[in-house]
Amino acid sequence: MAVETENVIDMRNIVKKYKITKRKERFTALDDVSLSIRKGEIFGLLGSNGAGKTTLIKVMAGLLEADGGTGEVLGYDIYKDHKSIRSKVSLVAPTADVGTDNNLTVRQNLEFWAVVYNLEKSQRKDRIDEMLDFLNLRQFEHHWPMSISAGNRQKLAIARSLLVKNPVLFLDEPTVKLDAKGAETVRELVTKINRDYGITVILTTHYIFEAEELCERVAIMHNGKIISCDTVANLRRNLQRYDELVVTCHEIIPEAIEAVKSLLFVISCHCVGNKMTIQMENIRENLIAVLKTLRGHGVGFIEISTNEPTLEDIFVDTISAGGNV
């Protein structure tokens, strides 16, 4: 039975071990993992291959039973209600060809899965038409899957997963085998699915730029552990990796420097010659305010450059620190 919860997923101290062939010891894939995911967010699991991302997704999707810890997905217990969990969540595997029948057309594949998902017969045609249009697959509806691009086959896999509009969608490395254009199309679709349908999306990736583009919150995984979990902005702040703005000016007057230092979001400001270096929070939101302040004190600009720490900086620093951030 489902229990009302503010989060769609709550995992506490999850452990998962795999038996190593012909050896007595067991490999720990998940080591004391705790995680909460909020309704309606796009949440990223970031880590290198072997970090434990796919194992964690399978536990949350009801496909693997944990060896320890407790958890609920949509209020269902991960041990007692794994069948209910599987019926309420959708999972897209790393390769789009899993679950796709190449002897059926794109539309026929969706018709087959509509029956598998027990979608009401009266709803099937309209829902399939909706997915074909939503994912821009209408032009390929009578094509064989192997005759369309890998990106479009991935879109077909996503369309299949959305037929019943489950409230939680797991995407395991959704762009890993796609070219740049196909990957960008899939990333745009993830945002669209979340925005238009309000579906909670949990995304695994080892592409740092992908997590930064799509996710407000990310969990950094390493050796089966979650070693850091927060918004990208807070991870930057915790590591004291602030955005940096360098303004080359015609002339810098003391009053302009003091005015910039007085801005609440400015961490530090110092000048060498005609270059002013400003460390600040959230450069995207606050850049214009800094420039207006300087202009208001008669400072003319020659050149402006920025150095905004990326999620890659955070990832490398976090792994190096062993999560002690």
Side-chain angles (χ1 to χ4, degrees), residues 290-315:
V290 171
L291 298 182
K292 283 183 176 180
T293 300
L294 292 173
R295 280 290 193 192
H297 286 80
V299 176
F301 314 135
I302 299 173
E303 184 181 14
I304 298 170
S305 63
T306 63
N307 180 20
E308 183 181 10
T310 66
L311 190 52
E312 183 171 8
D313 299 325
I314 295 166
F315 180 81

PDB file of all heavy atoms in Angstrom, residues 290-315:
ATOM      1  N   VAL A 290      26.624  44.618 -11.727  1.00  0.00           N
ATOM      2  CA  VAL A 290      28.007  45.065 -11.561  1.00  0.00           C
ATOM      3  C   VAL A 290      28.360  46.101 -12.628  1.00  0.00           C
ATOM      4  O   VAL A 290      28.936  47.163 -12.334  1.00  0.00           O
ATOM      5  CB  VAL A 290      28.986  43.874 -11.630  1.00  0.00           C
ATOM      6  CG1 VAL A 290      30.432  44.376 -11.681  1.00  0.00           C
ATOM      7  CG2 VAL A 290      28.793  42.958 -10.440  1.00  0.00           C
ATOM      8  N   LEU A 291      28.038  45.797 -13.870  1.00  0.00           N
ATOM      9  CA  LEU A 291      28.370  46.706 -14.971  1.00  0.00           C
ATOM     10  C   LEU A 291      27.644  48.046 -14.831  1.00  0.00           C
ATOM     11  O   LEU A 291      28.215  49.109 -15.103  1.00  0.00           O
ATOM     12  CB  LEU A 291      28.038  46.042 -16.307  1.00  0.00           C
ATOM     13  CG  LEU A 291      28.811  44.756 -16.623  1.00  0.00           C
ATOM     14  CD1 LEU A 291      28.428  44.212 -17.986  1.00  0.00           C
ATOM     15  CD2 LEU A 291      30.314  44.979 -16.531  1.00  0.00           C
ATOM     16  N   LYS A 292      26.393  48.016 -14.367  1.00  0.00           N
ATOM     17  CA  LYS A 292      25.652  49.263 -14.143  1.00  0.00           C
ATOM     18  C   LYS A 292      26.298  50.088 -13.036  1.00  0.00           C
ATOM     19  O   LYS A 292      26.358  51.325 -13.127  1.00  0.00           O
ATOM     20  CB  LYS A 292      24.191  48.955 -13.793  1.00  0.00           C
ATOM     21  CG  LYS A 292      23.327  48.562 -14.985  1.00  0.00           C
ATOM     22  CD  LYS A 292      21.879  48.358 -14.559  1.00  0.00           C
ATOM     23  CE  LYS A 292      20.991  48.074 -15.762  1.00  0.00           C
ATOM     24  NZ  LYS A 292      19.564  47.869 -15.360  1.00  0.00           N
ATOM     25  N   THR A 293      26.766  49.398 -12.005  1.00  0.00           N
ATOM     26  CA  THR A 293      27.434  50.105 -10.905  1.00  0.00           C
ATOM     27  C   THR A 293      28.692  50.809 -11.399  1.00  0.00           C
ATOM     28  O   THR A 293      28.956  51.975 -11.064  1.00  0.00           O
ATOM     29  CB  THR A 293      27.778  49.114  -9.775  1.00  0.00           C
ATOM     30  OG1 THR A 293      26.571  48.521  -9.289  1.00  0.00           O
ATOM     31  CG2 THR A 293      28.498  49.817  -8.631  1.00  0.00           C
ATOM     32  N   LEU A 294      29.481  50.117 -12.186  1.00  0.00           N
ATOM     33  CA  LEU A 294      30.705  50.717 -12.729  1.00  0.00           C
ATOM     34  C   LEU A 294      30.375  51.876 -13.667  1.00  0.00           C
ATOM     35  O   LEU A 294      30.998  52.950 -13.594  1.00  0.00           O
ATOM     36  CB  LEU A 294      31.526  49.648 -13.458  1.00  0.00           C
ATOM     37  CG  LEU A 294      32.149  48.567 -12.574  1.00  0.00           C
ATOM     38  CD1 LEU A 294      32.794  47.482 -13.422  1.00  0.00           C
ATOM     39  CD2 LEU A 294      33.184  49.177 -11.628  1.00  0.00           C
ATOM     40  N   ARG A 295      29.405  51.671 -14.526  1.00  0.00           N
ATOM     41  CA  ARG A 295      28.987  52.748 -15.442  1.00  0.00           C
ATOM     42  C   ARG A 295      28.509  53.971 -14.663  1.00  0.00           C
ATOM     43  O   ARG A 295      28.772  55.119 -15.041  1.00  0.00           O
ATOM     44  CB  ARG A 295      27.860  52.253 -16.355  1.00  0.00           C
ATOM     45  CG  ARG A 295      28.318  51.424 -17.540  1.00  0.00           C
ATOM     46  CD  ARG A 295      29.037  52.262 -18.555  1.00  0.00           C
ATOM     47  NE  ARG A 295      29.217  51.548 -19.807  1.00  0.00           N
ATOM     48  CZ  ARG A 295      30.010  51.955 -20.777  1.00  0.00           C
ATOM     49  NH1 ARG A 295      30.706  53.072 -20.621  1.00  0.00           N
ATOM     50  NH2 ARG A 295      30.127  51.265 -21.888  1.00  0.00           N
ATOM     51  N   GLY A 296      27.793  53.703 -13.574  1.00  0.00           N
ATOM     52  CA  GLY A 296      27.274  54.803 -12.765  1.00  0.00           C
ATOM     53  C   GLY A 296      28.362  55.647 -12.131  1.00  0.00           C
ATOM     54  O   GLY A 296      28.119  56.793 -11.729  1.00  0.00           O
ATOM     55  N   HIS A 297      29.575  55.098 -12.073  1.00  0.00           N
ATOM     56  CA  HIS A 297      30.714  55.847 -11.536  1.00  0.00           C
ATOM     57  C   HIS A 297      31.687  56.257 -12.641  1.00  0.00           C
ATOM     58  O   HIS A 297      32.849  56.565 -12.395  1.00  0.00           O
ATOM     59  CB  HIS A 297      31.446  55.022 -10.475  1.00  0.00           C
ATOM     60  CG  HIS A 297      30.698  54.925  -9.184  1.00  0.00           C
ATOM     61  ND1 HIS A 297      29.652  54.054  -8.993  1.00  0.00           N
ATOM     62  CD2 HIS A 297      30.837  55.616  -8.010  1.00  0.00           C
ATOM     63  CE1 HIS A 297      29.178  54.189  -7.764  1.00  0.00           C
ATOM     64  NE2 HIS A 297      29.878  55.140  -7.142  1.00  0.00           N
ATOM     65  N   GLY A 298      31.167  56.273 -13.864  1.00  0.00           N
ATOM     66  CA  GLY A 298      31.935  56.789 -14.986  1.00  0.00           C
ATOM     67  C   GLY A 298      33.049  55.902 -15.484  1.00  0.00           C
ATOM     68  O   GLY A 298      33.960  56.371 -16.172  1.00  0.00           O
ATOM     69  N   VAL A 299      32.994  54.599 -15.177  1.00  0.00           N
ATOM     70  CA  VAL A 299      34.046  53.682 -15.615  1.00  0.00           C
ATOM     71  C   VAL A 299      33.714  53.152 -17.009  1.00  0.00           C
ATOM     72  O   VAL A 299      32.628  52.614 -17.239  1.00  0.00           O
ATOM     73  CB  VAL A 299      34.205  52.510 -14.633  1.00  0.00           C
ATOM     74  CG1 VAL A 299      35.234  51.514 -15.160  1.00  0.00           C
ATOM     75  CG2 VAL A 299      34.604  53.022 -13.259  1.00  0.00           C
ATOM     76  N   GLY A 300      34.642  53.315 -17.941  1.00  0.00           N
ATOM     77  CA  GLY A 300      34.466  52.790 -19.292  1.00  0.00           C
ATOM     78  C   GLY A 300      35.143  51.453 -19.452  1.00  0.00           C
ATOM     79  O   GLY A 300      36.204  51.195 -18.865  1.00  0.00           O
ATOM     80  N   PHE A 301      34.536  50.527 -20.237  1.00  0.00           N
ATOM     81  CA  PHE A 301      35.047  49.172 -20.380  1.00  0.00           C
ATOM     82  C   PHE A 301      35.835  49.008 -21.676  1.00  0.00           C
ATOM     83  O   PHE A 301      35.444  49.519 -22.728  1.00  0.00           O
ATOM     84  CB  PHE A 301      33.905  48.143 -20.378  1.00  0.00           C
ATOM     85  CG  PHE A 301      32.892  48.360 -19.286  1.00  0.00           C
ATOM     86  CD1 PHE A 301      31.536  48.281 -19.556  1.00  0.00           C
ATOM     87  CD2 PHE A 301      33.282  48.652 -17.991  1.00  0.00           C
ATOM     88  CE1 PHE A 301      30.594  48.481 -18.566  1.00  0.00           C
ATOM     89  CE2 PHE A 301      32.353  48.855 -16.989  1.00  0.00           C
ATOM     90  CZ  PHE A 301      30.997  48.779 -17.276  1.00  0.00           C
ATOM     91  N   ILE A 302      36.918  48.279 -21.590  1.00  0.00           N
ATOM     92  CA  ILE A 302      37.666  47.874 -22.776  1.00  0.00           C
ATOM     93  C   ILE A 302      37.392  46.407 -23.106  1.00  0.00           C
ATOM     94  O   ILE A 302      37.171  46.033 -24.246  1.00  0.00           O
ATOM     95  CB  ILE A 302      39.184  48.081 -22.556  1.00  0.00           C
ATOM     96  CG1 ILE A 302      39.496  49.555 -22.295  1.00  0.00           C
ATOM     97  CG2 ILE A 302      39.983  47.554 -23.761  1.00  0.00           C
ATOM     98  CD1 ILE A 302      40.942  49.811 -21.906  1.00  0.00           C
ATOM     99  N   GLU A 303      37.349  45.580 -22.049  1.00  0.00           N
ATOM    100  CA  GLU A 303      37.150  44.136 -22.247  1.00  0.00           C
ATOM    101  C   GLU A 303      36.519  43.546 -20.995  1.00  0.00           C
ATOM    102  O   GLU A 303      36.807  43.979 -19.873  1.00  0.00           O
ATOM    103  CB  GLU A 303      38.487  43.447 -22.538  1.00  0.00           C
ATOM    104  CG  GLU A 303      38.364  41.963 -22.855  1.00  0.00           C
ATOM    105  CD  GLU A 303      39.715  41.318 -23.123  1.00  0.00           C
ATOM    106  OE1 GLU A 303      40.748  41.948 -22.807  1.00  0.00           O
ATOM    107  OE2 GLU A 303      39.737  40.191 -23.636  1.00  0.00           O
ATOM    108  N   ILE A 304      35.647  42.548 -21.212  1.00  0.00           N
ATOM    109  CA  ILE A 304      34.998  41.842 -20.100  1.00  0.00           C
ATOM    110  C   ILE A 304      35.150  40.352 -20.332  1.00  0.00           C
ATOM    111  O   ILE A 304      34.884  39.859 -21.431  1.00  0.00           O
ATOM    112  CB  ILE A 304      33.496  42.198 -20.003  1.00  0.00           C
ATOM    113  CG1 ILE A 304      33.316  43.689 -19.728  1.00  0.00           C
ATOM    114  CG2 ILE A 304      32.808  41.367 -18.917  1.00  0.00           C
ATOM    115  CD1 ILE A 304      31.883  44.150 -19.855  1.00  0.00           C
ATOM    116  N   SER A 305      35.583  39.613 -19.311  1.00  0.00           N
ATOM    117  CA  SER A 305      35.677  38.155 -19.412  1.00  0.00           C
ATOM    118  C   SER A 305      35.167  37.526 -18.116  1.00  0.00           C
ATOM    119  O   SER A 305      35.193  38.155 -17.057  1.00  0.00           O
ATOM    120  CB  SER A 305      37.119  37.710 -19.681  1.00  0.00           C
ATOM    121  OG  SER A 305      37.971  38.065 -18.610  1.00  0.00           O
ATOM    122  N   THR A 306      34.692  36.301 -18.226  1.00  0.00           N
ATOM    123  CA  THR A 306      34.160  35.606 -17.055  1.00  0.00           C
ATOM    124  C   THR A 306      34.797  34.234 -16.931  1.00  0.00           C
ATOM    125  O   THR A 306      35.253  33.646 -17.919  1.00  0.00           O
ATOM    126  CB  THR A 306      32.627  35.436 -17.143  1.00  0.00           C
ATOM    127  OG1 THR A 306      32.315  34.616 -18.276  1.00  0.00           O
ATOM    128  CG2 THR A 306      31.936  36.778 -17.284  1.00  0.00           C
ATOM    129  N   ASN A 307      34.815  33.726 -15.729  1.00  0.00           N
ATOM    130  CA  ASN A 307      35.321  32.392 -15.446  1.00  0.00           C
ATOM    131  C   ASN A 307      34.383  31.757 -14.443  1.00  0.00           C
ATOM    132  O   ASN A 307      34.595  31.831 -13.240  1.00  0.00           O
ATOM    133  CB  ASN A 307      36.746  32.431 -14.910  1.00  0.00           C
ATOM    134  CG  ASN A 307      37.288  31.039 -14.616  1.00  0.00           C
ATOM    135  OD1 ASN A 307      36.774  30.065 -15.138  1.00  0.00           O
ATOM    136  ND2 ASN A 307      38.309  30.967 -13.780  1.00  0.00           N
ATOM    137  N   GLU A 308      33.305  31.132 -14.954  1.00  0.00           N
ATOM    138  CA  GLU A 308      32.302  30.517 -14.087  1.00  0.00           C
ATOM    139  C   GLU A 308      32.682  29.058 -13.841  1.00  0.00           C
ATOM    140  O   GLU A 308      32.807  28.285 -14.794  1.00  0.00           O
ATOM    141  CB  GLU A 308      30.927  30.588 -14.739  1.00  0.00           C
ATOM    142  CG  GLU A 308      29.813  30.029 -13.885  1.00  0.00           C
ATOM    143  CD  GLU A 308      28.465  30.100 -14.605  1.00  0.00           C
ATOM    144  OE1 GLU A 308      28.448  30.409 -15.805  1.00  0.00           O
ATOM    145  OE2 GLU A 308      27.453  29.837 -13.956  1.00  0.00           O
ATOM    146  N   PRO A 309      32.903  28.648 -12.588  1.00  0.00           N
ATOM    147  CA  PRO A 309      33.247  27.249 -12.316  1.00  0.00           C
ATOM    148  C   PRO A 309      32.175  26.313 -12.868  1.00  0.00           C
ATOM    149  O   PRO A 309      30.977  26.583 -12.767  1.00  0.00           O
ATOM    150  CB  PRO A 309      33.295  27.182 -10.782  1.00  0.00           C
ATOM    151  CG  PRO A 309      33.550  28.581 -10.359  1.00  0.00           C
ATOM    152  CD  PRO A 309      32.840  29.443 -11.366  1.00  0.00           C
ATOM    153  N   THR A 310      32.607  25.222 -13.468  1.00  0.00           N
ATOM    154  CA  THR A 310      31.678  24.269 -14.051  1.00  0.00           C
ATOM    155  C   THR A 310      31.448  23.097 -13.108  1.00  0.00           C
ATOM    156  O   THR A 310      32.165  22.916 -12.116  1.00  0.00           O
ATOM    157  CB  THR A 310      32.234  23.726 -15.372  1.00  0.00           C
ATOM    158  OG1 THR A 310      33.413  22.951 -15.083  1.00  0.00           O
ATOM    159  CG2 THR A 310      32.587  24.861 -16.327  1.00  0.00           C
ATOM    160  N   LEU A 311      30.466  22.268 -13.455  1.00  0.00           N
ATOM    161  CA  LEU A 311      30.229  21.060 -12.686  1.00  0.00           C
ATOM    162  C   LEU A 311      31.424  20.122 -12.781  1.00  0.00           C
ATOM    163  O   LEU A 311      31.691  19.344 -11.865  1.00  0.00           O
ATOM    164  CB  LEU A 311      28.963  20.362 -13.192  1.00  0.00           C
ATOM    165  CG  LEU A 311      28.415  19.201 -12.373  1.00  0.00           C
ATOM    166  CD1 LEU A 311      28.231  19.580 -10.924  1.00  0.00           C
ATOM    167  CD2 LEU A 311      27.116  18.703 -12.968  1.00  0.00           C
ATOM    168  N   GLU A 312      32.188  20.213 -13.861  1.00  0.00           N
ATOM    169  CA  GLU A 312      33.402  19.402 -13.975  1.00  0.00           C
ATOM    170  C   GLU A 312      34.411  19.776 -12.893  1.00  0.00           C
ATOM    171  O   GLU A 312      35.040  18.910 -12.285  1.00  0.00           O
ATOM    172  CB  GLU A 312      34.027  19.568 -15.359  1.00  0.00           C
ATOM    173  CG  GLU A 312      35.254  18.684 -15.554  1.00  0.00           C
ATOM    174  CD  GLU A 312      35.754  18.664 -16.979  1.00  0.00           C
ATOM    175  OE1 GLU A 312      35.243  19.448 -17.799  1.00  0.00           O
ATOM    176  OE2 GLU A 312      36.648  17.850 -17.265  1.00  0.00           O
ATOM    177  N   ASP A 313      34.562  21.082 -12.639  1.00  0.00           N
ATOM    178  CA  ASP A 313      35.450  21.517 -11.553  1.00  0.00           C
ATOM    179  C   ASP A 313      35.001  20.915 -10.222  1.00  0.00           C
ATOM    180  O   ASP A 313      35.806  20.432  -9.420  1.00  0.00           O
ATOM    181  CB  ASP A 313      35.452  23.051 -11.438  1.00  0.00           C
ATOM    182  CG  ASP A 313      35.958  23.735 -12.686  1.00  0.00           C
ATOM    183  OD1 ASP A 313      36.872  23.185 -13.323  1.00  0.00           O
ATOM    184  OD2 ASP A 313      35.442  24.815 -13.027  1.00  0.00           O
ATOM    185  N   ILE A 314      33.694  20.985  -9.995  1.00  0.00           N
ATOM    186  CA  ILE A 314      33.129  20.475  -8.741  1.00  0.00           C
ATOM    187  C   ILE A 314      33.346  18.968  -8.629  1.00  0.00           C
ATOM    188  O   ILE A 314      33.745  18.448  -7.586  1.00  0.00           O
ATOM    189  CB  ILE A 314      31.624  20.814  -8.661  1.00  0.00           C
ATOM    190  CG1 ILE A 314      31.432  22.327  -8.595  1.00  0.00           C
ATOM    191  CG2 ILE A 314      30.978  20.131  -7.465  1.00  0.00           C
ATOM    192  CD1 ILE A 314      30.020  22.763  -8.859  1.00  0.00           C
ATOM    193  N   PHE A 315      33.094  18.252  -9.740  1.00  0.00           N
ATOM    194  CA  PHE A 315      33.232  16.801  -9.746  1.00  0.00           C
ATOM    195  C   PHE A 315      34.669  16.395  -9.415  1.00  0.00           C
ATOM    196  O   PHE A 315      34.906  15.545  -8.547  1.00  0.00           O
ATOM    197  CB  PHE A 315      32.821  16.253 -11.113  1.00  0.00           C
ATOM    198  CG  PHE A 315      32.915  14.765 -11.237  1.00  0.00           C
ATOM    199  CD1 PHE A 315      31.912  13.949 -10.749  1.00  0.00           C
ATOM    200  CD2 PHE A 315      34.006  14.158 -11.832  1.00  0.00           C
ATOM    201  CE1 PHE A 315      31.986  12.569 -10.849  1.00  0.00           C
ATOM    202  CE2 PHE A 315      34.105  12.788 -11.942  1.00  0.00           C
ATOM    203  CZ  PHE A 315      33.095  11.989 -11.451  1.00  0.00           C
TER     204      PHE A 315
END
